[in-house]
Amino acid sequence: DQQVKQNSPSLSVQEGRISILNCDYTNSMFDYFLWYKKYPAEGPTFLISISSIKDKNEDGRFTVFLNKSAKHLSLHIVPSQPGDSAVYFCAASAYSNYQLIWGAGTKLIIKP
Amino acid sequence: DVKVTQSSRYLVKRTGEKVFLECVQDMDHENMFWYRQDPGLGLRLIYFSYDVKMKEKGDIPEGYSVSREKKERFSLILESASTNQTSMYLCASIPSGVSSNQPQHFGDGTRLSIL
């Protein structure tokens, strides 16, 4: 049973436009959520996170929104750049981030 | 800056071989993790260790074992490699006792092919 779901395997966005990546979760005990970015043949790199006490966190071009009632979070990238083309993983943890539950990933393609 | 180093980027082994994947971190982190990543499945936890000589099974430990003899080094062992263990293997670390949530830090991964 997947506790963290990324239902879009891939997403194609025009350069300069907004990219919106979505993630749903089923476990109401999750209290910390992270987004990682992964290029081929490299390990995931941390992008941005949000605690369940917040509904928004912003870092430069990246904003994560959390809707606890819907058990949904989204990552917004504005404006999208060619270097943003990568696989994006959503992950969640309960009480500590020692163990993370991961989504399957969404491949983002930024078109010139 | 945290550095997690995995000994090999690419590895090709034969069915039945015993395979060792090594991971070293330089930040004195207590917690270390081994994942495998397969297309469409995300990252799945194989084993983790929260201290020297301590280990816990993750979601998919079958066919694997681990060793943590020193704090900075966490080894993943495939006892008798099989073709279904062909995958990308990722090591990560994080300190204990943090007052606020912090992300796991990953190595660059080992792409393992079992023929």
Side-chain angles (χ1 to χ4, degrees), chain A residues 81-93:
Chain A
Q81 298 175 353
D84 296 330
S85 294
V87 177
Y88 288 79
F89 290 99
C90 168
S93 71

PDB file of all heavy atoms in Angstrom, chain A residues 81-93:
ATOM      1  N   GLN A  81      13.191  26.526 -15.492  1.00  0.00           N
ATOM      2  CA  GLN A  81      14.423  26.699 -16.265  1.00  0.00           C
ATOM      3  C   GLN A  81      14.875  25.328 -16.795  1.00  0.00           C
ATOM      4  O   GLN A  81      14.538  24.291 -16.197  1.00  0.00           O
ATOM      5  CB  GLN A  81      15.520  27.303 -15.386  1.00  0.00           C
ATOM      6  CG  GLN A  81      15.189  28.680 -14.845  1.00  0.00           C
ATOM      7  CD  GLN A  81      16.232  29.202 -13.884  1.00  0.00           C
ATOM      8  OE1 GLN A  81      17.160  28.498 -13.510  1.00  0.00           O
ATOM      9  NE2 GLN A  81      16.076  30.452 -13.482  1.00  0.00           N
ATOM     10  N   PRO A  82      15.664  25.303 -17.863  1.00  0.00           N
ATOM     11  CA  PRO A  82      16.108  24.017 -18.424  1.00  0.00           C
ATOM     12  C   PRO A  82      16.811  23.121 -17.397  1.00  0.00           C
ATOM     13  O   PRO A  82      16.641  21.902 -17.416  1.00  0.00           O
ATOM     14  CB  PRO A  82      17.075  24.438 -19.539  1.00  0.00           C
ATOM     15  CG  PRO A  82      16.589  25.784 -19.961  1.00  0.00           C
ATOM     16  CD  PRO A  82      16.087  26.448 -18.691  1.00  0.00           C
ATOM     17  N   GLY A  83      17.568  23.719 -16.484  1.00  0.00           N
ATOM     18  CA  GLY A  83      18.260  22.946 -15.451  1.00  0.00           C
ATOM     19  C   GLY A  83      17.336  22.290 -14.453  1.00  0.00           C
ATOM     20  O   GLY A  83      17.771  21.458 -13.650  1.00  0.00           O
ATOM     21  N   ASP A  84      16.048  22.643 -14.503  1.00  0.00           N
ATOM     22  CA  ASP A  84      15.076  22.016 -13.606  1.00  0.00           C
ATOM     23  C   ASP A  84      14.633  20.655 -14.122  1.00  0.00           C
ATOM     24  O   ASP A  84      13.940  19.912 -13.411  1.00  0.00           O
ATOM     25  CB  ASP A  84      13.835  22.906 -13.438  1.00  0.00           C
ATOM     26  CG  ASP A  84      14.159  24.234 -12.774  1.00  0.00           C
ATOM     27  OD1 ASP A  84      15.105  24.289 -11.960  1.00  0.00           O
ATOM     28  OD2 ASP A  84      13.468  25.229 -13.088  1.00  0.00           O
ATOM     29  N   SER A  85      14.997  20.310 -15.322  1.00  0.00           N
ATOM     30  CA  SER A  85      14.637  18.995 -15.872  1.00  0.00           C
ATOM     31  C   SER A  85      15.321  17.911 -15.053  1.00  0.00           C
ATOM     32  O   SER A  85      16.551  17.831 -15.003  1.00  0.00           O
ATOM     33  CB  SER A  85      15.072  18.891 -17.347  1.00  0.00           C
ATOM     34  OG  SER A  85      14.358  19.790 -18.152  1.00  0.00           O
ATOM     35  N   ALA A  86      14.524  17.084 -14.405  1.00  0.00           N
ATOM     36  CA  ALA A  86      15.033  16.065 -13.476  1.00  0.00           C
ATOM     37  C   ALA A  86      13.847  15.240 -12.996  1.00  0.00           C
ATOM     38  O   ALA A  86      12.696  15.531 -13.345  1.00  0.00           O
ATOM     39  CB  ALA A  86      15.732  16.715 -12.281  1.00  0.00           C
ATOM     40  N   VAL A  87      14.126  14.241 -12.190  1.00  0.00           N
ATOM     41  CA  VAL A  87      13.055  13.513 -11.514  1.00  0.00           C
ATOM     42  C   VAL A  87      12.888  14.112 -10.116  1.00  0.00           C
ATOM     43  O   VAL A  87      13.878  14.313  -9.400  1.00  0.00           O
ATOM     44  CB  VAL A  87      13.366  12.007 -11.413  1.00  0.00           C
ATOM     45  CG1 VAL A  87      12.266  11.282 -10.627  1.00  0.00           C
ATOM     46  CG2 VAL A  87      13.488  11.409 -12.811  1.00  0.00           C
ATOM     47  N   TYR A  88      11.654  14.391  -9.739  1.00  0.00           N
ATOM     48  CA  TYR A  88      11.365  14.991  -8.440  1.00  0.00           C
ATOM     49  C   TYR A  88      10.639  13.958  -7.570  1.00  0.00           C
ATOM     50  O   TYR A  88       9.632  13.379  -7.978  1.00  0.00           O
ATOM     51  CB  TYR A  88      10.494  16.240  -8.603  1.00  0.00           C
ATOM     52  CG  TYR A  88      11.279  17.378  -9.201  1.00  0.00           C
ATOM     53  CD1 TYR A  88      11.534  17.417 -10.569  1.00  0.00           C
ATOM     54  CD2 TYR A  88      11.791  18.399  -8.399  1.00  0.00           C
ATOM     55  CE1 TYR A  88      12.276  18.440 -11.130  1.00  0.00           C
ATOM     56  CE2 TYR A  88      12.533  19.429  -8.955  1.00  0.00           C
ATOM     57  CZ  TYR A  88      12.779  19.447 -10.315  1.00  0.00           C
ATOM     58  OH  TYR A  88      13.523  20.461 -10.870  1.00  0.00           O
ATOM     59  N   PHE A  89      11.182  13.774  -6.378  1.00  0.00           N
ATOM     60  CA  PHE A  89      10.600  12.834  -5.421  1.00  0.00           C
ATOM     61  C   PHE A  89      10.007  13.594  -4.247  1.00  0.00           C
ATOM     62  O   PHE A  89      10.625  14.505  -3.697  1.00  0.00           O
ATOM     63  CB  PHE A  89      11.658  11.862  -4.886  1.00  0.00           C
ATOM     64  CG  PHE A  89      12.150  10.865  -5.895  1.00  0.00           C
ATOM     65  CD1 PHE A  89      13.336  11.060  -6.574  1.00  0.00           C
ATOM     66  CD2 PHE A  89      11.419   9.717  -6.149  1.00  0.00           C
ATOM     67  CE1 PHE A  89      13.794  10.128  -7.504  1.00  0.00           C
ATOM     68  CE2 PHE A  89      11.863   8.775  -7.069  1.00  0.00           C
ATOM     69  CZ  PHE A  89      13.040   8.992  -7.748  1.00  0.00           C
ATOM     70  N   CYS A  90       8.842  13.161  -3.847  1.00  0.00           N
ATOM     71  CA  CYS A  90       8.190  13.626  -2.632  1.00  0.00           C
ATOM     72  C   CYS A  90       8.454  12.567  -1.558  1.00  0.00           C
ATOM     73  O   CYS A  90       8.429  11.367  -1.855  1.00  0.00           O
ATOM     74  CB  CYS A  90       6.702  13.766  -2.934  1.00  0.00           C
ATOM     75  SG  CYS A  90       5.636  14.007  -1.538  1.00  0.00           S
ATOM     76  N   ALA A  91       8.728  12.999  -0.324  1.00  0.00           N
ATOM     77  CA  ALA A  91       8.963  12.052   0.771  1.00  0.00           C
ATOM     78  C   ALA A  91       8.312  12.590   2.034  1.00  0.00           C
ATOM     79  O   ALA A  91       8.133  13.807   2.187  1.00  0.00           O
ATOM     80  CB  ALA A  91      10.459  11.832   0.986  1.00  0.00           C
ATOM     81  N   ALA A  92       7.967  11.690   2.935  1.00  0.00           N
ATOM     82  CA  ALA A  92       7.285  12.084   4.162  1.00  0.00           C
ATOM     83  C   ALA A  92       7.786  11.263   5.336  1.00  0.00           C
ATOM     84  O   ALA A  92       8.259  10.134   5.162  1.00  0.00           O
ATOM     85  CB  ALA A  92       5.772  11.902   4.011  1.00  0.00           C
ATOM     86  N   SER A  93       7.686  11.846   6.525  1.00  0.00           N
ATOM     87  CA  SER A  93       8.052  11.109   7.728  1.00  0.00           C
ATOM     88  C   SER A  93       7.092  11.469   8.857  1.00  0.00           C
ATOM     89  O   SER A  93       6.428  12.503   8.821  1.00  0.00           O
ATOM     90  CB  SER A  93       9.485  11.415   8.153  1.00  0.00           C
ATOM     91  OG  SER A  93       9.577  12.729   8.663  1.00  0.00           O
TER      92      SER A  93
END
